[in-house]
Amino acid sequence: MRYFFEDYSFDTEKRELRRRSEIVPTTPQVFDLLEYLIRNRDRVVSKDDLVTSIWNGRAISDAALTTRLNAARTAIGDSGGEQRLIKTLPRKGLRFVGSVSEVPEPIYGAVTDGSVESPEASLALPDKPSLAVLPFANLSLDPDQDYFADGMVEDIITGLSRSKSLFVIARQSTFTYKGKATDVQKVGRELGVRYVLEGSVRKEGNRVRISGQLIDATTGLHLWADRFDSQLEDVFDLQDRVACSVIGAISPRVERAEIERAKRKPTESLTAYDYYLRALSCNYRNTRAGNDEGLKLIKVASSIDPEFAATYALGANLHAQRKACGWSIDPALERAEASQLANRAIELDRDDPLVLAMVGDALAYVLGKVEEGTDLILRAIELDPNHANARLWGGWAHLWLGDGDAAVQQFQDMLRLSPLDPRAYSAHSGLGFAHFFAGRHDDALASATIAIRLQPSFLGAHYIRTASHAMSGRLEDAQAACAALMQLSPALCVSLIERRPRPFRKADVEKLTQAFRIAGMPD
């Protein structure tokens, strides 16, 4: 079990206490004392309880117990005078009063740049056959063809994820292994899958070759390997052959309809497809320059093939990224462009989950058409239950509609489908909002704390940390959290939040602003 509170992580399996990334030395008895208090934080623990559990009933003096208690407080930055985390109740006992996030499965390590460290324990295997597709090696003579190899893998993942008989890990998690030497069995444990597909792509002139091998990650045994060759103009058929071969190897009795669902030919133009893959690569760079370049490439791709629905959907999604990251220059113009792209995409294809999910997010977030956008996202999830992005966007959309329970479920599903996702901070922030609006302030704080650990500059997580402290009556902590928030956004004030057009319901915004006033945010 791993517990998180403030800047600390407490791992009972490794018997490690860490502050951020640094190990805090503790003696065995001090560690046991902390573990007992944290595990039993829902009640007051008596001296007899401690003696029975930690010292096996042996007699221990009050002075010795006080020494261990002081050492425990020192280890977690507390003191007998402050009693911020461990509170002494005279003549009754002790209680751990800090807000704790309890994580029975892997959680992401401390980071400062938004990336996510690999979890160290195993995730439980899903009930259905589970698969991760690792980035394929680019064996082309031109290293700049990485985007093409990556695009091939992404489309194979997309095809496989449409099979409702499989559990397929999202691209955002598997691509964290790109360029690294990997132990397939370790990957299986980290991602919680039974099967791992790895391989290579070679593109030379008008020829493409994909080589792949399927491995049982629980045993390390190779189950299947093959090589697929085709002309470049048959690249979609090539992807289909890989996806269908993998499905057949994993689930030989799967219905033919499941295999057919994996097949899709998005465009007749290889040139348009190439520009689409370049734009997709720009999207994953998650930079302003990448966003600008991606939108330009989208215009080129759509001019070559005006019927290529995914191109328009990706363009709408790039506008959502633009708004989320604060890169907008002319919001009114960009909303109009996003609307045009979204409408054209959905006009061309209402059955592609990729199109539905990207358009749904743009409608809900950029254009404020939350109900319409949510319907499209839910339709995408119905068609592709493995679509982690749709789960993330669906979580936020449900949150904006005021359906907190549905939002929590979608965020949790996203985190399982993509355990190493660089945007996990967004899901944890969303969980924080959902818990806060439901009045679960300690749960909200725990989620916000994880989100800030993953992405220290994400404002939404700081909102919830500040608001949760305020509504829980921890005024000093609320003021400190508010100061940290204001340092990130100096112009922030309550009236600005009230005036700013946001997808949240008015009642939910009022809950936030009430908390911000308590925390000392200026009007």
Side-chain angles (χ1 to χ4, degrees):
M1 184 68 68
R2 301 179 75 185
Y3 301 93
F4 293 86
F5 53 93
E6 294 191 347
D7 293 334
Y8 295 88
S9 63
F10 189 87
D11 191 324
T12 61
E13 296 298 321
K14 290 188 172 183
R15 291 186 65 81
E16 283 183 354
L17 172 66
R18 288 178 178 266
R19 186 174 187 271
R20 298 190 179 95
S21 60
E22 299 296 324
I23 293 179
V24 179
T26 56
T27 64
Q29 285 185 346
V30 168
F31 189 92
D32 291 342
L33 175 60
L34 281 170
E35 180 178 359
Y36 191 80
L37 290 173
I38 292 171
R39 284 188 185 276
N40 295 278
R41 61 191 180 278
D42 59 337
R43 65 183 180 90
V44 177
V45 173
S46 69
K47 176 185 174 181
D48 289 343
D49 292 332
L50 294 173
V51 171
T52 300
S53 175
I54 299 171
W55 286 275
N56 296 318
R58 299 195 310 271
I60 179 173
S61 67
D62 288 344
L65 177 58
T66 299
T67 298
R68 303 296 192 281
L69 177 59
N70 288 340
R73 282 186 168 133
T74 299
I76 57 176
D78 200 2
S79 67
E82 187 178 8
Q83 297 191 14
R84 186 181 74 260
L85 296 172
I86 301 176
K87 188 174 182 63
T88 300
L89 289 87
R91 294 181 297 278
K92 292 184 179 180
L94 305 167
R95 186 179 175 193
F96 194 93
V97 295
S99 179
V100 178
S101 172
E102 183 175 312
V103 185
E105 58 187 38
I107 195 63
Y108 315 95
V111 297
T112 57
D113 61 356
S115 61
V116 179
E117 290 183 356
S118 299
E120 297 167 350
S122 299
L123 288 163
L125 292 176
D127 293 334
K128 61 179 73 172
S130 49
L131 171 72
V133 184
L134 295 181
F136 283 16
N138 171 25
L139 300 185
S140 304
L141 297 178
D142 182 3
D144 290 338
Q145 289 292 321
D146 267 9
Y147 77 91
F148 184 83
D150 292 347
M152 293 296 99
V153 174
E154 172 132 354
D155 280 348
I156 290 169
I157 292 173
T158 298
L160 289 166
S161 71
R162 290 196 183 104
S163 172
K164 297 181 181 180
S165 299
L166 302 180
F167 180 95
V168 183
I169 294 294
R171 179 252 195 225
Q172 291 91 324
S173 283
T174 59
F175 269 64
T176 61
Y177 297 99
K178 184 175 179 179
K180 301 176 183 177
T182 54
D183 176 339
V184 169
Q185 289 180 281
K186 184 171 184 285
V187 170
R189 291 192 300 271
E190 290 176 343
L191 298 179
V193 295
R194 181 176 296 278
Y195 305 104
V196 172
L197 176 66
E198 60 182 14
S200 63
V201 175
R202 183 187 297 274
K203 178 185 175 189
E204 292 182 0
N206 197 39
R207 300 284 303 173
V208 180
R209 168 176 291 176
I210 295 180
S211 298
Q213 55 183 349
L214 186 67
I215 303 167
D216 186 328
T218 63
T219 63
L221 294 176
H222 286 63
L223 304 177
W224 163 88
D226 208 341
R227 187 175 67 192
F228 304 84
D229 293 284
S230 81
Q231 299 291 325
L232 191 57
E233 57 264 26
D234 298 323
V235 70
F236 301 121
D237 176 65
L238 183 66
Q239 294 167 353
D240 292 343
R241 285 158 55 198
V242 175
C244 293
S245 295
V246 172
I247 292 173
I250 293 176
S251 302
R253 289 184 296 276
V254 71
E255 294 181 8
R256 185 67 194 172
E258 288 289 290
I259 295 178
E260 290 300 319
R261 188 178 286 113
K263 296 183 178 181
R264 188 167 194 84
K265 188 172 185 178
T267 177
E268 297 290 338
S269 171
L270 286 175
T271 305
Y273 180 65
D274 189 80
Y275 277 107
Y276 168 79
L277 292 184
R278 292 174 188 267
L280 190 64
S281 177
C282 289
N283 187 25
Y284 283 121
R285 279 156 52 185
N286 202 34
T287 63
R288 184 167 193 159
N291 185 273
D292 290 340
E293 184 180 352
L295 286 169
K296 292 176 183 176
L297 291 168
I298 286 299
K299 291 181 179 179
V300 176
S302 59
S303 68
I304 296 170
D305 182 359
E307 307 294 311
F308 190 179
T311 300
Y312 298 98
L314 178 57
N317 187 248
L318 284 164
H319 278 292
Q321 181 189 66
R322 197 171 185 83
K323 177 181 176 181
C325 295
W327 299 331
S328 295
I329 297 174
D330 186 339
L333 176 62
E334 290 165 12
R335 278 196 301 273
E337 290 180 356
S339 178
Q340 184 178 13
L341 289 164
N343 290 335
R344 180 59 176 154
I346 211 67
E347 176 185 299
L348 289 169
D349 196 336
R350 299 188 66 90
D351 294 317
D352 184 344
L354 182 68
V355 170
L356 293 168
M358 290 194 290
V359 169
D361 180 52
L363 290 179
Y365 181 60
V366 181
L367 304 175
K369 299 179 179 180
V370 183
E371 291 84 358
E372 184 179 349
T374 305
D375 288 344
L376 294 180
I377 293 170
L378 292 178
R379 170 69 174 151
I381 293 171
E382 180 185 351
L383 292 170
D384 181 357
N386 295 297
H387 199 313
N389 280 337
R391 300 282 185 178
L392 177 63
W393 298 331
W396 283 104
H398 280 301
L399 196 59
W400 299 329
L401 290 173
D403 191 349
D405 290 342
V408 168
Q409 186 61 58
Q410 295 292 5
F411 288 133
Q412 290 175 341
D413 287 345
M414 178 268 184
L415 291 169
R416 181 59 187 91
L417 283 166
S418 193
L420 305 183
D421 203 303
R423 291 173 301 176
Y425 68 87
S426 179
H428 285 293
S429 295
L431 286 169
F433 276 100
H435 290 314
F436 177 79
F437 293 146
R440 300 186 292 267
H441 299 135
D442 287 345
D443 290 338
L445 178 61
S447 294
T449 300
I450 294 173
I452 291 171
R453 185 181 295 115
L454 295 174
Q455 180 53 273
S457 63
F458 191 60
L459 289 179
H462 286 272
Y463 282 177
I464 291 302
R465 183 172 70 169
T466 301
S468 298
H469 278 310
M471 299 309 289
S472 299
R474 296 184 288 267
L475 185 57
E476 290 186 6
D477 290 331
Q479 291 171 339
C482 187
L485 173 59
M486 298 295 295
Q487 191 172 11
L488 289 171
S489 182
L492 198 61
C493 61
V494 173
S495 59
L496 179 63
I497 293 171
E498 289 175 329
R499 294 195 310 268
R500 182 179 295 167
R502 303 185 69 84
F504 290 116
R505 299 179 307 163
K506 182 179 179 181
D508 290 335
V509 174
E510 289 174 350
K511 289 180 183 178
L512 285 172
T513 53
Q514 177 190 358
F516 292 154
R517 286 191 171 96
I518 293 172
M521 183 180 290
D523 278 326

